[in-house]
Amino acid sequence: MSYTTENIKNISIAGHGGTGKTTLFERILFAGGGITKPETVESGKTTSDYAAEEIERKISIHAALGHVILRDKKMNFFDTPGSSDFTGDVILSFRSCEFALVLVDGRDGVQIETIKLWRNLEGREKPRGVFLSKLDDERADFDKVLATIKEKFKREPVAVTFPMGKGASYKGVIDVLNGKAYLVQGDGLEKEGPIPDEYKEAFEAAREKLIEAAAEGDDTLMEKYVDQGSLSPEEMHTGLIEALAENKFVPAFAGAALKNSGLVPLLEFLCDVGPSPLTAKDTAKAADGTETKIPIDPAKPFSGLVIKTAYDQFSGKLSWVKVITGKLTADSETHNVSENKKERIGKLYTCQGKKLEEVKELAAGDVGIITKSASMRTNDTLSAADTGLTFLPLRLPEPVHSVAVNASAKKDEDKLGEALVRSTEEDRTFRYQFNAETHETVISGMGELQLNIILEKIKTGLKIDLETHVPKVAYRETIIKKAGAEYTHKKQTGGHGQYGKVVLEIAPLPRGENYQFVNAIFGGAIPKNYIPGVEKGIVEGMAHGTMAHYPVVDVEVKIVDGKYHPVDSSELSFKLAARNAFREAMKQANPTLLEPVMNLTVFVEEKYLGDVMSDLSGKRGKIHGQDSAGGIAEIHAEVPQAELLRYSIDLRSITSGTGSFNVTFAHYAPISGRIAEDVIKAREGFKVTETEE
Ligand SMILES: Nc1nc2c(ncn2[C@@H]2O[C@H](COP(=O)(O)OP(=O)(O)OP(=O)(O)O)[C@@H](O)[C@H]2O)c(=O)[nH]1
Ligand SMILES: [Mg+2]
């Protein structure tokens, strides 16, 4: 059976680690009839945590997809990982959903990932709601957590459901929109009933707030509400649909997924009020870089975006596709605009976790799976007509952790390379690069856990041994003052000799300007045809500085004079003369080492703030700012990269695993004294290969 665009909903379940996302996803499938027997994360048999690495660790590592059918509507749910190591799969769900349900632990309230996820959703102007989980726990406090959400995010969530009791006396939830109670029934699904008298007053107050939220969605409803003081149930629905689609309203839900509670009213709300794909747009880019908004539209020819690539033991390669316009049909042919080739579509599927269900077509707005497409890669744009438009790639964060890796046995290097490439396809936050400067294969990603899991998989999959170490830092060299030098390259060997003389001046350039070449030769002291040789020599000279053989940057080189010989001069002679002249000049120009400095943002619970700050000052960090709210502090600092190579590990040990950070390159800065001496010492014995004289 296929579903039309207006009957599809895409919902991402996101939140801090361990808030109960996988449990909620499992129980939603159970409540909606997608599965008959719900499992627990502890049993290792949930629908969404099916990968071996998830079962072993009892955490989610990959996004999983499942769906529920309610009143002929297909609601796709993404269960996403909570650890920031696996953010990539949260991002793909945000990109593909029209509504994000942020899980907040009903005991702990707003946590570090909650803040980061919220900001990401804010950046996308994505409609979202909050689900306060684990309200069956003694420590849970629905009202208090809602208040901290309001304080932290300056948005007031409006309760669509609220809990009856907590801890041992937890009874279920009240559905404010439909005026019903849902009572816990042992292991079974919650049952609908009338609102108990003791909750009637709280219900009326909550209902008033929800009506206000509905009125705010639509001007005519607002007028009516002001005039008459109320709205009909139909008007409420209309108002809430509009308010939610326009991101003016943040619904709040209560529940205890493990007790199958809070699920039915959540599904009812998502089915009736949740944003339709018809309200959403994606963005595509033309070859000239201009961006166009593309509304999700079933009437247009087919187009879609590959959002994820996974490899399954039985089904092979799986490409997840979000259909943006038109429909995707099984056994058809389409164009892969990104790879510029025809793409044969074989079978199409939807899924419940790893279980694939074959379908004939997927309508605009829907998300499904194409199998066995060799060439399809994440971020590829598929299109019926080659429009030249490609959808913008997933907006992923910069890596925060890197490790240098090599196969213990040289013969396994190629196998390792292939496996690393495949891993970058599966997880787009994972990167792999051979650094020609440091002669290392460096893998980077969102944290130590992510990299370890990937390497572990490669090791066991290929049965090879790997070695890892802390990657080297890419230092640079530059100069502080102006200097000049001359060098004559002269050699008499049998027939033709070699002759070239170069006189040059070098001067510092502002940071980041790298290199400028100025030819100030007058009167043909060096003929024009030898100038390219001179410049080549300078480029070679700059490739390895005089302090520790690191590349030289931010220098202006001016050729002021020289001398040639009508028979013996050649491009090679001038290249060697210029290279040596440059190195001579550099020695006179107060050379200095530069190190990369990073912008660092750290999120920690306030109780760890002191320890984190003193650790940063020990790491030569400069603190630029700090702010705190709701028990969580955010620190902005600049820290040398050399000090951050193991920060993922350091921060984890300081904060008992709760801290999180982002890092981006800031600039290069000079180093001196002991620090510079150590860098120079570490490079002793470094071999430079250059053209010999
Ligand atoms: N008391 C109680 N515990 C719950 C509830 N829901 C989940 N839990 C427990 O919370 C723990 C974490 O649950 P998960 O569903 O794995 O949480 P998650 O958010 O998917 O975790 P990650 O994927 O690792 O981020 C498990 O031990 C669950 O049994 C609930 O409603 N009540
Ligand atoms: Mg999970």
Side-chain angles (χ1 to χ4, degrees):
M1 159 137 191
S2 66
Y3 295 86
T4 51
T5 307
E6 66 272 19
N7 286 329
I8 290 164
K9 312 269 179 188
N10 296 295
I11 299 125
S12 163
I13 302 178
H16 192 91
T19 45
K21 299 175 291 296
T22 299
T23 309
L24 179 66
F25 178 94
E26 182 80 2
R27 304 306 164 118
I28 281 175
L29 295 196
F30 172 61
I35 56 172
T36 46
K37 182 175 176 291
E39 289 288 348
T40 61
V41 175
E42 281 71 22
S43 76
K45 291 184 190 159
T46 59
T47 312
S48 55
D49 281 359
Y50 54 81
E53 57 270 26
E54 296 178 312
I55 294 167
E56 186 192 328
R57 290 177 175 78
K58 302 205 184 336
I59 59 166
S60 303
I61 290 171
H62 313 283
L65 184 62
H67 60 272
V68 153
I69 311 297
L70 185 60
R71 290 194 287 282
D72 291 336
K73 290 205 166 76
K74 180 186 181 215
M75 293 191 265
N76 293 318
F77 287 90
F78 292 87
D79 177 24
T80 68
S83 160
S84 65
D85 283 56
F86 314 112
T87 310
D89 271 22
V90 185
I91 305 276
L92 71 87
S93 80
F94 283 177
R95 172 69 176 269
S96 324
C97 76
E98 285 79 46
F99 179 77
L101 186 64
V102 179
L103 250 71
V104 181
D105 192 305
R107 310 163 302 187
D108 302 329
V110 172
Q111 289 169 288
I112 288 164
E113 287 311 310
T114 327
I115 298 175
K116 291 167 75 186
L117 295 171
W118 195 273
R119 287 208 185 136
N120 195 300
L121 291 166
E122 202 70 18
R124 297 168 189 272
E125 296 175 23
K126 186 72 69 184
R128 78 210 74 143
V130 291
F131 184 95
L132 275 53
S133 64
K134 308 188 186 179
L135 297 179
D136 58 329
D137 191 279
E138 210 58 61
R139 288 197 295 120
D141 192 334
F142 184 76
D143 293 329
K144 192 170 146 213
V145 171
L146 276 193
T148 49
I149 292 171
K150 183 182 168 192
E151 183 205 359
K152 191 72 210 176
F153 301 127
K154 312 279 178 280
R155 296 283 304 265
E156 185 168 5
V158 183
V160 174
T161 59
F162 69 84
M164 294 180 282
K166 67 170 170 181
S169 59
Y170 180 82
K171 286 196 282 292
V173 301
I174 305 277
D175 178 347
V176 181
L177 181 58
N178 298 308
K180 294 173 188 167
Y182 284 89
L183 299 151
V184 172
Q185 303 289 312
D187 285 341
L189 187 60
E190 59 197 335
K191 273 224 171 78
E192 187 187 313
I195 297 173
D197 285 346
E198 54 184 308
Y199 289 103
K200 283 214 163 115
E201 208 176 305
F203 163 70
E204 291 302 339
R207 176 110 180 148
E208 206 52 46
K209 284 202 168 159
L210 199 57
I211 293 176
E212 263 172 49
E216 274 163 23
D218 183 307
D219 288 346
T220 47
L221 287 182
M222 186 50 115
E223 273 170 38
K224 189 172 171 211
Y225 175 63
V226 172
D227 277 358
Q228 305 177 1
S230 193
L231 296 177
S232 71
E234 293 73 34
E235 287 166 336
M236 250 181 106
H237 271 93
T238 316
L240 290 178
I241 290 169
E242 283 183 41
L244 190 58
E246 289 167 22
N247 192 16
K248 289 197 238 167
F249 154 57
V250 179
F253 305 90
L258 213 49
K259 293 205 150 55
N260 299 321
S261 167
L263 311 171
V264 177
L266 171 69
L267 287 177
E268 291 285 337
F269 177 91
L270 292 173
C271 184
D272 291 344
V273 181
S276 144
L278 291 169
T279 62
K281 294 184 174 71
D282 207 279
T283 310
K285 202 167 72 178
D288 65 1
T290 46
E291 290 183 6
T292 335
K293 294 270 180 217
I294 313 268
I296 293 186
D297 183 354
K300 295 266 162 55
F302 164 70
S303 72
L305 174 69
V306 180
I307 54 167
K308 182 175 168 72
T309 306
Y311 290 89
D312 177 81
Q313 205 182 334
F314 305 106
S315 318
K317 184 173 171 184
L318 309 175
S319 306
W320 294 28
V321 184
K322 163 95 178 183
V323 182
I324 313 278
T325 56
K327 68 178 177 198
L328 177 60
T329 317
D331 297 317
S332 65
E333 198 168 74
T334 184
H335 200 84
N336 187 331
V337 186
S338 311
E339 312 287 335
N340 194 21
K341 64 195 293 189
K342 285 217 163 18
E343 194 80 65
R344 172 93 211 127
I345 308 290
K347 288 184 175 173
L348 279 184
Y349 300 88
T350 58
C351 64
Q352 299 292 25
K354 69 176 169 190
K355 201 173 115 235
L356 299 182
E357 298 170 357
E358 198 177 338
V359 291
K360 285 281 158 257
E361 58 183 44
L362 294 166
D366 210 349
V367 180
I369 291 171
I370 300 171
T371 53
K372 300 192 172 60
S373 162
S375 59
M376 226 178 263
R377 299 190 300 165
T378 304
N379 280 331
D380 279 356
T381 295
L382 307 178
S383 177
D386 185 6
T387 54
L389 288 176
T390 49
F391 292 108
L392 295 188
L394 300 170
R395 231 185 301 149
L396 298 169
E398 287 295 310
V400 301
H401 187 62
S402 298
V403 170
V405 60
N406 59 276
S408 306
K410 192 114 190 92
K411 64 171 174 44
D412 295 332
E413 283 293 334
D414 287 350
K415 273 203 261 177
L416 171 64
E418 280 164 30
L420 289 174
V421 169
R422 188 160 141 161
S423 304
T424 62
E425 272 179 50
E426 277 188 276
D427 183 344
R428 285 280 160 159
T429 61
F430 175 72
R431 307 197 192 159
Y432 138 74
Q433 189 185 24
F434 180 74
N435 186 331
E437 203 179 301
T438 58
H439 301 290
E440 291 174 321
T441 295
V442 178
I443 59 169
S444 313
M446 304 315 300
E448 198 201 4
L449 179 62
Q450 178 202 22
L451 300 189
N452 284 349
I453 289 172
I454 289 172
L455 292 182
E456 204 53 47
K457 243 174 127 170
I458 292 177
K459 260 198 226 173
T460 45
L462 298 179
K463 298 191 180 61
I464 61 173
D465 279 331
L466 299 177
E467 285 164 10
T468 58
H469 47 272
V470 176
K472 295 185 183 125
V473 172
Y475 292 97
R476 295 284 178 267
E477 299 182 24
T478 192
I479 55 166
I480 288 181
K481 62 169 200 179
K482 286 188 176 179
E486 57 175 74
Y487 191 94
T488 307
H489 176 73
K490 201 170 163 186
K491 223 170 182 180
Q492 203 58 57
T493 45
H496 255 304
Q498 296 182 18
Y499 184 89
K501 176 180 175 182
V502 171
V503 184
L504 52 72
E505 287 171 10
I506 60 175
L509 286 178
R511 200 62 63 241
E513 296 210 351
N514 198 17
Y515 163 60
Q516 241 170 50
F517 178 75
V518 182
N519 178 5
I521 296 281
F522 279 106
I526 301 176
K528 264 205 190 84
N529 54 326
Y530 294 136
I531 297 296
V534 171
E535 199 173 354
K536 269 187 208 155
I538 289 162
V539 169
E540 275 192 25
M542 287 183 66
H544 298 285
T546 54
M547 301 189 77
H549 308 297
Y550 284 108
V552 181
V553 294
D554 305 341
V555 180
E556 181 200 80
V557 185
K558 194 195 272 182
I559 308 302
V560 290
D561 203 359
K563 220 173 174 180
Y564 76 106
H565 184 277
V567 180
D568 291 345
S569 279
S570 64
E571 183 172 304
L572 177 70
S573 314
F574 275 102
K575 187 177 91 168
L576 296 174
R579 193 169 85 194
N580 286 312
F582 176 81
R583 295 224 167 109
E584 282 303 314
M586 191 170 165
K587 285 182 198 153
Q588 315 301 320
N590 276 15
T592 182
L593 279 171
L594 296 173
E595 67 172 351
V597 175
M598 312 301 277
N599 282 320
L600 174 75
T601 307
V602 192
F603 299 85
V604 290
E605 291 175 15
E606 267 165 12
K607 61 182 171 197
Y608 299 116
L609 184 59
D611 290 345
V612 170
M613 294 289 246
S614 67
D615 176 66
L616 286 179
S617 79
K619 289 183 155 57
R620 301 186 282 133
K622 279 193 207 119
I623 309 291
H624 286 324
Q626 178 211 321
D627 65 282
S628 260
I632 291 163
E634 187 174 335
I635 306 157
H636 298 274
E638 269 183 20
V639 189
Q641 189 187 34
E643 305 283 350
L644 291 178
L645 299 173
R646 295 171 56 83
Y647 198 57
S648 172
I649 299 155
D650 295 347
L651 186 67
R652 192 186 60 209
S653 77
I654 301 171
T655 63
S656 303
T658 58
S660 174
F661 69 103
N662 299 329
V663 42
T664 53
F665 173 77
H667 53 84
Y668 271 94
I671 44 172
S672 56
R674 266 295 297 278
I675 295 158
E677 280 164 28
D678 288 348
V679 172
I680 293 168
K681 205 152 174 229
R683 282 283 266 198
E684 271 169 18
F686 181 84
K687 285 214 170 39
V688 179
T689 35
E690 282 180 340
T691 350
E692 292 309 321
E693 299 179 14

